[in-house]
Amino acid sequence: MSLKNLKVCNLRTILTSAALVLSLVHLVQCQDVNDYNNNQFDNPAVLPLIKQVVYSQISNLTAVIGQDIGKQFSFCIKDWNADWDRAFNISNNLDFLASCIQKTNGDITRRLCSAAELKFYFNSFFERSGSTNYLKPNKNCNLTSWVEGCEPGWACSVGSNQKVNLNDSKVIPARTLNCQACCEGFFCPHGITCIIPCPLGSYCPLATLNKTTGVCEPYLYHLPPGNPNHTCGGANIWADVGSSSELFCSAGSYCPSTTSRQTCTSGHYCRMGSTSEKSCFKLTSCNPNTANQNIQAYGILLLAALSTLLLILYNCSDQVLTARERRLAKSREAAARSARETSKARQRWKSAKDAAKMHARGLQAHLSHTFSLIKDAKDPEKLKILDRVKSDIDDDPLPPPHPSMSATHLPSRENKKEPSELMPIVHEIEDDPDNYKGISIGTGDMSSHVNVSKGKQTPTQIFKYAYAQLEKERAQQQDNEKLTFSGIVNLATHPETRKRPLIEISFKDLTLTLKAKNKHLLRCVTGKIKPGRITAVMGPSGAGKTTFLSAVAGKAMGCRMAGLIHINGRNNSIHSYKKIIGFVPQDDIVHGNLTVEENLWFSAKCRLPTYLSKPDKVLVVERVIEFLGLQTVRASLVGTVEKRGISGGQRKRVNVGLEMVMEPSLLILDEPTSGLDSASSQQLLRALRREALEGVNICMVVHQPSYALFKMFDDLILMAKGGLTAYHGPVKKVEEYFAGLGINIPERVNPPDYFIDILEGIVMPGGSSGVSHEDLPVCWMLHNGYSIPPDMKQKAARLARPSMDVIPANELNLAGAGMVENSFAEELWQGMKSNVEVQRDKIRLNFLKSKDLTRRRTPGVLQQYRYFLGRVGKQRLRETRILAMDYLILLLAGACLGSLVKVSDQTFGAAAYTYTIIAVSLLCKVAALRTFSLDKLHYWRESGSGMSSLAYFHSKDTVDHFNTIIKPAVYLSMFSFFTNPRSSFADNYLVLFCLVYCVTGTAYAFAIIFESGIAQLCSVLPVVLTLVGTQPKDGEFMKILAKFWYPNRALEAFIIANAERYNGVWLITRCGFLLKNGYDLRDWNLCIFILILIGIISRVIAFLSMVTFQRK
């Protein structure tokens, strides 16, 4: 190349560079697209800078629009900047802006909608009615001015010399000039003359006319009639998916920009309105053009795995507790074997020592007799005295204290005092020693508790201690049978003997009248129940035997009580001694899914004093098991109606043992021998006799005991019909008393059977006294000098002795005076009034807090909660089969609903979530009914004995929290795999967790307040109302009620969690659906709070109902 040409080329390059620099300088100085010349829009070096200017002007509208309409859309847009950015952040691809700039020759900013026009368009969603898809009349499009830009898909511009302030949110600019088709990537609504960028996730190409249908495709608008020069424009509307689905990027495709659409490749899936494709999980089938990944294979695998696990749990659920019980049984057997061997060795050593002592004593006596014969012969009176002293010593072979009692624990001899409560027994033995043959008194080891090491001990060490004590007691029992009378007295007054607090019940003129019918259940019952004695209450059916026990125990409700009941001679409430009173109900109320030992051990832990160590409590339980003969079935389940356990007689003894293990001072038993054979009844009476020997006051109702059993009682109360007393005194004197009335028992007839037959009126009393069975209560009153009721004075006058005063005639038959028959209305009112009084008495009894006079400190609420928690945990482990079936049903429900009902994008899964709420609510509520409905009787018994209701309720609720945590995960593991919703698993789990917590609380309330059948119906009712609650509400009352109706709140939380995942082109769809149903994105936390609050309130109601409305 020549030098001349090279100079020319360099000159051209310099000139071109200078021109480019001048253009850039001019561009920097330009703040608006309209400042550029038309020939600059095609310049590839300038066009990107122009796109940035246009994009910056569009972006500036975000803050302005947010200030004006952000509050109005706050129910569906929590963060306006973030949601607007997800919808209109087109910075990644501005090619459609360049195309529109070139198409409009830089007139794009005069065609863009200002803040006022955007505000006008978005506000139209609140005012639009029906299926109207055009805006209301405005400045540019009205009845007098309708330019081509008002048609769908078209837009206009302002004047060339007029500038548009896009940030002006108050004045709509006049935009009616130079109308043309909407640009690609923009949409031009019907009834407005400006253009709006299409949101991300949409596809906005130019429309083409379908000459056959006359529709501008892919959109659905028609060309205006009478204007042949008008052509199809661009997109015409952005609304909800139901009104503008053609604007959305189709399912199976993704749109990286609003002007391009690509098919989803293999191994990926693209939902409707997607801007990118998402990778599918492994083991899923994702073909090209797939809208959603098919992860049902994961669901099927998980269903198979969980079903297999549940089946394993169903068949092997008992192995955990069985293995633990087997280990404890081995420790217990080893401890018992060791104790027996130790006891045998001690007996052999004792026998050898006694033989050596006897030999030494004989040798000493022989030598003493030889060397002192001459000296003693000189003083014969002294010899007599020595012989008498020696005789007294031989008659009182009292063994020394037990070796386990260390000298440091023995009080000094100077402080030894004779316990006053044992003297009545001693005096009674002195008065009539012949009647106490065969009675064996236990030593201090029977009721005293030896101090053991306070460190943590293994079960083997504890059992060794307990069985060693039992073996010592057996050995001492054999020695006590050989004691003389003075030895018994010394043993009974031994300071190491820990006697229980004595309770003596005395009652005078005790009368109970049923409020509803004004009927006497008890009348003028006077007597005394003494400690250390067993009192039998007998009589015909309907005589008031159980009523009498209920009155003594303070459990009679719905009655008016007259007369006095004194405790140890004082007018104290029987409830003040609740901690040392045992009440055995007539029915065998024992937990069937616990073993015999577990039932007894739980009662001992909750009711024994806190100062007792665990080895001492184990000793108490082991002693009761041995006395009741339950060693062979101690590890056996008690059993239920569905699952057989121990026999009926053994169950009856366990029922009694629940009260014996708490070492009561007063033990009341309602028909404990009913259903038992003679041998089992005698075994039970022997165990009760041991309790009586420790000072326990025992009173029991008995039906037709055998003669041998009858002779084991100390006192007898014979009840006649009408609640009257026919006899109350020692058993040994009952035959003598009736013989005095001329009633003699025939030979070979059981005395109690004969007495009951007479009181029943089956057998007429023999003899010439002329006494009928109706006269026997009056005879008893006359015999003891008790006051006679007015209506019985006529009988008393006939039966009285001649020396008695004659009763005036005006005092006779006073009971019949004033008897007026009530009308039906009065009887109805009286019945309603009595029911109210009964409920009042129940509430008063349940909330009555009497002063504790027992000085026994039992475990507190927290400690009992721990014990209850362990018991309920064992019960749930033994009910694993039922829980496995509950989980399996939830799995199937999630799989079925997930495969049948899909999560619709148009409704954000409202239908699927509605069925989810119904299914989960029903299944979890029915399962939660079992928590309290099956244990009502057990709770009434335990709460009546002083156990904590709060600990009982919270322990069951705590264990049920395991289901509250697991069941939502079990259901969603199937439902999510089969539906694959956009909301996260964590959000759905939290909502379902709160729902399960809520319905579980309502199930508690239903189970406690209603009977089992009614509770099940009530559990189904809210599920039915769920369908009603999800319908549109017209009245204000229904709208307010829906805010606190838990299915509505759960559904709203589900939809909000799912709707938040729909962004970009879905923004209007989200707002429209939430507006239609009255939902608010900001209320998600409120929905969760209301569900939790309803669960808490329902639990409070359930607890108050449980402690308030107890039944007998």
Side-chain angles (χ1 to χ4, degrees):
M1 182 181 296
S2 63
L3 181 61
K4 182 179 180 180
N5 293 335
L6 180 60
K7 291 181 179 180
V8 172
C9 182
N10 291 336
L11 180 61
R12 289 179 180 177
T13 303
I14 293 172
L15 292 175
T16 303
S17 301
L20 180 59
V21 169
L22 291 176
S23 300
L24 291 175
V25 172
H26 177 74
L27 176 62
V28 171
Q29 294 175 352
C30 296
Q31 299 296 327
D32 192 272
V33 179
N34 299 320
D35 296 336
Y36 296 101
N37 297 324
N38 292 337
N39 56 1
Q40 291 179 320
F41 297 131
D42 295 329
N43 190 338
V46 178
L47 187 59
L49 300 177
I50 299 176
K51 289 190 296 183
Q52 290 295 333
V53 173
V54 175
Y55 175 70
S56 63
Q57 292 180 351
I58 295 175
S59 300
N60 290 336
L61 290 175
T62 301
V64 179
I65 297 298
Q67 294 176 359
D68 291 336
I69 65 176
K71 294 182 179 179
Q72 201 168 7
F73 281 84
S74 60
F75 69 94
C76 62
I77 301 176
K78 290 195 299 185
D79 188 349
W80 178 268
N81 293 327
D83 282 325
W84 189 270
D85 186 67
R86 295 190 191 101
F88 296 103
N89 186 8
I90 55 178
S91 58
N92 293 332
N93 191 340
L94 300 178
D95 294 340
F96 74 100
L97 281 181
S99 175
C100 189
I101 291 172
Q102 294 175 347
K103 180 179 180 180
T104 59
N105 292 323
D107 199 24
I108 184 173
T109 55
R110 294 190 179 96
R111 297 177 182 272
L112 283 174
C113 288
S114 65
E117 290 170 305
L118 289 175
K119 180 179 177 181
F120 174 76
Y121 176 75
F122 286 113
N123 285 337
S124 66
F125 290 107
F126 294 95
E127 303 170 358
R128 188 176 300 177
S129 60
S131 59
T132 305
N133 58 356
Y134 55 86
L135 304 176
K136 66 179 182 179
N138 54 78
K139 182 177 181 179
N140 297 317
C141 300
N142 49 60
L143 296 178
T144 59
S145 174
W146 191 268
V147 295
E148 287 185 336
C150 296
E151 297 295 335
W154 277 59
C156 300
S157 176
V158 297
S160 58
N161 297 326
Q162 183 180 359
K163 291 187 178 181
V164 179
N165 185 8
L166 297 180
N167 295 330
D168 187 358
S169 60
K170 296 181 179 180
V171 180
I172 297 178
R175 202 190 304 268
T176 57
L177 304 176
N178 194 16
C179 299
Q180 66 181 29
C182 195
C183 294
E184 186 180 17
F186 291 84
F187 71 97
C188 301
H190 188 194
I192 194 171
T193 60
C194 60
I195 63 175
I196 304 174
C198 289
L200 295 178
S202 63
Y203 180 56
C204 302
L206 294 177
T208 57
L209 179 63
N210 188 331
K211 297 182 179 179
T212 305
T213 60
V215 176
C216 293
E217 295 179 349
Y219 314 109
L220 303 179
Y221 60 88
H222 295 76
L223 297 178
N227 191 354
N229 295 327
H230 193 85
T231 60
C232 292
N236 65 317
I237 187 173
W238 174 39
D240 60 280
V241 68
S243 303
S244 60
S245 59
E246 63 276 5
L247 191 71
F248 286 69
C249 191
S250 60
S253 302
Y254 68 98
C255 300
S257 67
T258 57
T259 57
S260 63
R261 181 174 60 185
Q262 300 179 14
T263 302
C264 217
T265 60
S266 179
H268 299 80
Y269 70 98
C270 302
R271 300 178 188 266
M272 189 176 185
S274 299
T275 58
S276 61
E277 56 182 1
K278 295 183 178 181
S279 301
C280 296
F281 295 151
K282 295 181 179 180
L283 301 180
T284 56
S285 57
C286 287
N287 298 322
N289 199 23
T290 299
N292 201 349
Q293 60 177 339
N294 185 5
I295 57 175
Q296 294 184 1
Y298 283 98
I300 295 174
L301 292 176
L302 184 60
L303 177 62
L306 292 178
S307 301
T308 303
L309 177 61
L310 293 176
L311 289 176
I312 294 174
L313 293 176
Y314 183 87
N315 293 298
C316 305
S317 58
D318 296 335
Q319 299 302 320
V320 177
L321 291 177
T322 302
R324 183 176 180 272
E325 292 168 1
R326 194 180 299 116
R327 294 186 61 184
L328 288 178
K330 290 181 179 179
S331 300
R332 186 170 52 247
E333 292 172 359
R337 184 167 54 253
S338 175
R340 285 193 297 268
E341 293 173 356
T342 303
S343 177
K344 290 179 181 179
R346 185 181 295 112
Q347 290 294 332
R348 289 193 298 269
W349 168 251
K350 184 178 180 181
S351 300
K353 185 173 64 174
D354 291 342
K357 284 183 178 181
M358 290 296 295
H359 180 71
R361 187 181 300 174
L363 180 60
Q364 181 181 4
H366 178 71
L367 294 176
S368 176
H369 178 72
T370 302
F371 288 103
S372 62
L373 182 59
I374 299 175
K375 184 178 180 180
D376 291 339
K378 295 179 181 180
D379 195 356
E381 294 296 329
K382 183 177 180 181
L383 180 61
K384 292 180 180 180
I385 294 175
L386 291 175
D387 289 339
R388 186 168 67 248
V389 173
K390 181 176 181 297
S391 176
D392 291 341
I393 294 175
D394 293 338
D395 289 340
D396 189 13
L398 182 64
H402 198 276
S404 62
M405 300 292 293
S406 61
T408 58
H409 296 101
L410 295 178
S412 63
R413 294 289 181 178
E414 298 176 356
N415 297 330
K416 288 185 179 180
K417 295 183 180 180
E418 189 176 41
S420 59
E421 63 270 12
L422 296 177
M423 293 312 298
I425 302 176
V426 175
H427 295 324
E428 199 165 354
I429 296 175
E430 292 175 343
D431 294 338
D432 194 2
D434 295 335
N435 290 311
Y436 278 83
K437 291 181 179 180
I439 295 178
S440 59
I441 297 180
T443 66
D445 289 335
M446 290 289 292
S447 57
S448 63
H449 298 278
V450 182
N451 292 333
V452 294
S453 60
K454 296 183 179 180
K456 188 175 181 181
Q457 296 176 317
T458 63
T460 302
Q461 293 174 333
I462 294 175
F463 283 129
K464 282 184 178 180
Y465 165 76
Y467 281 106
Q469 292 297 109
L470 290 177
E471 290 297 332
K472 294 175 185 178
E473 292 173 5
R474 291 194 189 98
Q476 194 66 53
Q477 189 75 18
Q478 297 175 359
D479 294 339
N480 292 341
E481 293 177 357
K482 304 175 183 179
L483 290 178
T484 62
F485 174 69
S486 58
I488 293 176
V489 173
N490 291 332
L491 181 61
T493 57
H494 200 271
E496 280 78 34
T497 302
R498 187 182 63 86
K499 305 298 292 185
R500 303 181 192 178
L502 301 183
I503 293 182
E504 182 183 78
I505 309 293
S506 59
F507 37 89
K508 183 179 180 181
D509 294 332
L510 181 60
T511 301
L512 285 183
T513 305
L514 193 62
K515 294 181 180 179
K517 301 180 180 179
N518 199 24
K519 176 184 177 182
H520 291 300
L521 301 180
L522 289 179
R523 293 195 67 187
C524 302
V525 179
T526 301
K528 184 182 293 185
I529 303 176
K530 301 177 182 179
R533 301 177 68 86
I534 301 179
T535 303
V537 181
M538 294 191 293
S541 298
K545 302 182 295 296
T546 302
T547 304
F548 170 72
L549 293 186
S550 300
V552 171
K555 296 179 180 291
M557 291 180 289
C559 302
R560 290 191 301 270
M561 189 179 75
L564 298 175
I565 298 180
H566 285 174
I567 314 296
N568 293 335
R570 297 180 180 180
N571 189 16
N572 295 325
S573 173
I574 192 67
H575 299 287
S576 299
Y577 301 89
K578 182 190 299 184
K579 293 182 179 180
I580 57 174
I581 295 177
F583 186 88
V584 180
Q586 182 175 353
D587 298 324
D588 300 331
I589 305 175
V590 186
H591 289 279
N593 49 8
L594 294 177
T595 64
V596 172
E597 184 178 4
E598 289 169 351
N599 274 286
L600 298 178
W601 179 236
F602 176 79
S603 182
K605 288 191 297 184
C606 290
R607 302 174 68 181
L608 283 174
T610 54
Y611 64 80
L612 292 184
S613 62
K614 184 176 181 181
D616 288 329
K617 293 180 181 179
V618 172
L619 174 60
V620 173
V621 175
E622 293 297 329
R623 186 183 295 133
V624 171
I625 290 176
E626 182 183 6
F627 289 169
L628 294 176
L630 298 173
Q631 297 94 333
T632 58
V633 295
R634 62 183 304 156
S636 302
L637 291 177
V638 174
T640 58
V641 178
E642 297 83 5
K643 187 176 182 180
R644 179 170 175 79
I646 60 179
S647 66
Q650 293 166 341
R651 186 186 183 96
K652 180 74 69 175
R653 279 178 273 165
V654 174
N655 189 34
V656 177
L658 290 178
E659 304 300 324
M660 292 178 60
V661 294
M662 53 87 64
E663 295 191 337
S665 295
L666 173 62
L667 184 57
I668 301 174
L669 305 96
D670 191 4
E671 301 184 17
T673 60
S674 297
L676 299 182
D677 54 14
S678 179
S680 299
S681 299
Q682 291 188 26
Q683 186 178 24
L684 177 60
L685 259 294
R686 282 193 294 269
L688 295 177
R689 171 59 64 189
R690 294 173 183 266
E691 294 288 305
L693 290 176
E694 296 185 12
V696 180
N697 189 345
I698 300 176
C699 183
M700 56 190 299
V701 173
V702 186
H703 271 301
Q704 294 181 334
S706 63
Y707 185 74
L709 196 66
F710 179 68
K711 285 299 182 180
M712 297 179 70
F713 297 115
D714 297 318
D715 296 323
L716 174 65
I717 300 178
L718 272 179
M719 305 291 296
K721 288 190 174 181
L724 297 165
T725 306
Y727 177 80
H728 184 183
V731 171
K732 60 186 178 182
K733 295 182 180 181
V734 61
E735 297 183 26
E736 178 184 349
Y737 167 75
F738 279 100
L741 297 178
I743 302 175
N744 296 314
I745 302 174
E747 296 182 359
R748 298 183 179 180
V749 175
N750 190 15
D753 293 343
Y754 188 71
F755 296 147
I756 293 175
D757 291 342
I758 291 177
L759 294 174
E760 188 72 47
I762 299 175
V763 177
M764 297 301 296
S768 59
S769 61
V771 177
S772 65
H773 69 280
E774 297 177 351
D775 300 332
L776 293 178
V778 181
C779 293
W780 177 252
M781 295 179 186
L782 294 174
H783 177 74
N784 292 276
Y786 298 152
S787 59
I788 309 295
D791 58 320
M792 293 184 178
K793 289 186 176 181
Q794 186 176 5
K795 291 183 181 180
R798 178 173 54 84
L799 297 173
R801 298 176 182 178
S803 61
M804 294 184 64
D805 297 335
V806 180
I807 301 174
N810 58 358
E811 295 184 8
L812 301 179
N813 199 20
L814 296 177
M819 295 291 292
V820 180
E821 184 177 357
N822 296 329
S823 63
F824 174 77
E826 292 176 343
E827 290 182 357
L828 181 62
W829 169 251
Q830 190 68 24
M832 295 174 60
K833 183 179 178 181
S834 64
N835 288 333
V836 174
E837 291 177 351
V838 169
Q839 295 298 330
R840 183 190 62 190
D841 292 344
K842 291 179 180 179
I843 295 174
R844 183 182 302 170
L845 178 63
N846 295 330
F847 287 95
L848 179 64
K849 296 296 182 183
S850 301
K851 182 180 180 181
D852 184 20
L853 301 177
T854 62
R855 298 181 181 178
R856 173 182 282 193
R857 296 294 175 261
T858 55
V861 176
L862 293 179
Q863 191 67 20
Q864 289 191 37
Y865 169 76
R866 176 187 171 189
Y867 296 150
F868 274 109
L869 201 63
R871 186 183 73 175
V872 177
K874 290 181 180 179
Q875 291 175 322
R876 291 294 184 270
L877 284 177
R878 292 195 173 99
E879 296 172 355
T880 308
R881 293 188 174 186
I882 300 177
L883 295 178
M885 291 304 300
D886 289 342
Y887 294 154
L888 185 59
I889 292 174
L890 274 175
L891 281 175
L892 296 177
C896 293
L897 291 179
S899 58
L900 295 177
V901 183
K902 299 300 181 181
V903 177
S904 172
D905 290 332
Q906 188 171 356
T907 60
F908 302 102
Y913 289 131
T914 300
Y915 293 129
T916 293
I917 294 171
I918 292 175
V920 174
S921 298
L922 179 61
L923 294 176
C924 294
K925 193 174 294 185
V926 171
L929 291 177
R930 298 192 299 263
T931 301
F932 289 98
S933 61
L934 301 179
D935 289 343
K936 286 184 178 180
L937 294 177
H938 303 86
Y939 165 72
W940 295 334
R941 176 177 183 176
E942 292 170 353
S943 62
S945 64
M947 293 188 190
S948 172
S949 299
L950 186 63
Y952 170 83
F953 184 88
H954 277 293
S955 64
K956 283 183 168 290
D957 188 32
T958 301
V959 174
D960 274 357
H961 286 341
F962 175 79
N963 291 330
T964 306
I965 296 173
I966 298 299
K967 285 186 175 181
V970 170
Y971 178 84
L972 288 176
S973 63
M974 292 293 100
F975 181 80
S976 298
F977 277 113
F978 281 91
T979 58
N980 194 18
R982 298 199 184 192
S983 56
S984 66
F985 184 90
D987 290 341
N988 289 336
Y989 173 81
L990 183 58
V991 176
L992 208 57
F993 168 82
C994 297
L995 176 64
V996 174
Y997 180 81
C998 174
V999 300
T1000 302
T1002 57
Y1004 290 167
F1006 291 147
I1008 291 173
I1009 297 174
F1010 303 108
E1011 299 295 334
S1012 179
I1014 301 177
Q1016 292 178 2
L1017 292 177
C1018 293
S1019 298
V1020 176
L1021 182 61
V1023 176
V1024 176
L1025 294 179
T1026 303
L1027 297 175
V1028 180
T1030 54
Q1031 301 301 316
K1033 290 85 178 171
D1034 298 329
E1036 291 296 328
F1037 175 76
M1038 293 301 298
K1039 292 181 180 179
I1040 296 175
L1041 183 63
K1043 292 181 179 180
F1044 299 96
W1045 187 240
Y1046 76 85
N1048 287 15
R1049 285 300 183 177
L1051 180 61
E1052 181 177 358
F1054 274 125
I1055 292 178
I1056 289 174
N1058 198 30
E1060 278 190 302
R1061 304 288 176 170
Y1062 287 78
N1063 302 306
V1065 70
W1066 292 99
L1067 197 60
I1068 300 299
T1069 305
R1070 180 212 294 178
C1071 293
F1073 185 82
L1074 296 181
L1075 177 64
K1076 178 181 178 181
N1077 292 275
Y1079 297 156
D1080 194 328
L1081 286 182
R1082 299 167 297 179
D1083 289 346
W1084 191 82
N1085 292 329
L1086 178 63
C1087 294
I1088 298 299
F1089 173 76
I1090 290 178
L1091 290 176
I1092 296 294
L1093 181 64
I1094 293 175
I1096 295 174
I1097 293 176
S1098 59
R1099 281 166 170 79
V1100 173
I1101 294 174
F1103 176 74
L1104 294 178
S1105 301
M1106 184 181 70
V1107 300
T1108 302
F1109 303 108
Q1110 293 187 12
R1111 296 170 177 81
K1112 291 182 61 177

